[in-house]
Amino acid sequence: SQQGEEDPQALSIQEGENATMNCSYKTSINNLQWYRQNSGRGLVHLILIRSNEREKHSGRLRVTLDTSKKSSSLLITASRAADTASYFCATQSGGSNYKLTFGKGTLLTVNP
Amino acid sequence: DTAVSQTPKYLVTQMGNDKSIKCEQNLGHDTMYWYKQDSKKFLKIMFSYNNKELIINETVPNRFSPKSPDKAHLNLHINSLELGDSAVYFCASSTGTGGYQPQHFGDGTRLSIL
């Protein structure tokens, strides 16, 4: 069953602007991960945030996690055309340490 | 030096045929996965092997049979292909400890059933 739900489904911005994508999930988690998928390619891991963490940074990426609201956000600052891709959140829950449950993704288009 | 490689990249075949997709990882990971991504980009886990042992087996028709000859390889065999099997199939791998590790994906095999 689907766990994560990204919002918005699609986002179009201009180069240089910031992009924010949100993810909501239903059950308690061990960690939440964000992945990027370029057209025709596999998913690439971006960042992992554990359930006891509230915020993580990696380069131009900032991820927050609010376990009380069962939600996470991914912020990409100073976006570039090369950031155009689909972005997925994925959660690991309960005793299933190896299983990731993915959301439907947000398609981000960065216009030059 | 591709980390997770799948072959073939494209597979076009007739309904009712049997086909296999191969996956190899050179990352030294203990755990490998098969995912199915449908036309709406929804990605769902199908199977996972840890050190050649099946650990995740989601509700998948038994026409799909994974095989792990060693921990660097996980192949997927599909019998009696149906139209609904058309999708992109992704192989992935991760280290097997603790469940806090990211997964590394191949570039997918696009399966089209005629």
Side-chain angles (χ1 to χ4, degrees):
Chain A
S1 63
Q2 186 184 333
Q3 165 79 310
E5 188 91 26
E6 285 91 342
D7 167 53
Q9 288 190 342
L11 180 60
S12 181
I13 59 174
Q14 295 299 120
E15 216 167 17
E17 293 180 341
N18 296 342
T20 299
M21 289 159 270
N22 302 299
C23 169
S24 59
Y25 56 91
K26 296 173 185 170
T27 62
S28 61
I29 60 171
N30 293 328
N31 68 72
L32 186 145
Q33 303 179 28
W34 284 91
Y35 287 79
R36 183 188 75 232
Q37 184 179 29
N38 291 86
S39 180
R41 303 298 300 274
L43 281 74
V44 174
H45 179 261
L46 296 175
I47 201 161
L48 181 153
I49 186 164
R50 301 180 183 184
S51 59
N52 61 353
E53 297 175 313
R54 292 296 166 256
E55 189 171 312
K56 273 190 104 164
H57 297 254
S58 176
R60 293 183 296 112
L61 305 180
R62 173 176 164 251
V63 167
T64 62
L65 179 64
D66 187 336
T67 52
S68 67
K69 294 181 179 177
K70 292 187 171 59
S71 68
S72 173
S73 67
L74 170 67
L75 168 67
I76 304 175
T77 59
S79 63
R80 305 166 183 169
D83 294 329
T84 294
S86 291
Y87 291 81
F88 295 87
C89 69
T91 54
Q92 279 183 328
S93 312
S96 178
N97 281 336
Y98 307 113
K99 179 178 169 179
L100 279 180
T101 304
F102 283 83
K104 290 182 180 176
T106 292
L107 176 60
L108 173 67
T109 303
V110 181
N111 301 299
Chain B
D1 49 333
T2 306
V4 181
S5 59
Q6 300 177 225
T7 54
K9 190 170 173 64
Y10 299 96
L11 190 47
V12 181
T13 190
Q14 302 276 357
M15 210 163 51
N17 284 351
D18 302 339
K19 290 292 178 187
S20 291
I21 307 171
K22 295 187 175 182
C23 179
E24 175 182 5
Q25 55 94 5
N26 63 4
L27 296 166
H29 288 164
D30 298 323
T31 308
M32 296 185 72
Y33 313 79
W34 278 110
Y35 287 87
K36 179 181 180 180
Q37 187 173 45
D38 63 23
S39 58
K40 296 184 179 178
K41 291 209 159 186
F42 180 52
L43 196 70
K44 193 173 185 332
I45 182 77
M46 299 173 69
F47 301 103
S48 177
Y49 273 74
N50 175 252
N51 283 320
K52 299 184 355 178
E53 182 186 341
L54 182 65
I55 56 169
I56 295 174
N57 186 354
E58 292 293 285
T59 307
V60 175
N62 57 14
R63 298 181 294 104
F64 290 78
S65 52
K67 280 193 172 52
S68 182
D70 55 61
K71 73 174 192 177
H73 295 85
L74 181 61
N75 304 322
L76 183 64
H77 188 77
I78 315 169
N79 289 328
S80 304
L81 281 157
E82 299 177 358
L83 289 175
D85 297 333
S86 294
V88 183
Y89 292 84
F90 286 97
C91 177
S93 71
S94 70
T95 57
T97 55
Y100 284 94
Q101 304 304 320
Q103 294 184 12
H104 297 252
F105 284 76
D107 278 339
T109 295
R110 185 173 295 276
L111 175 61
S112 299
I113 309 301
L114 303 177

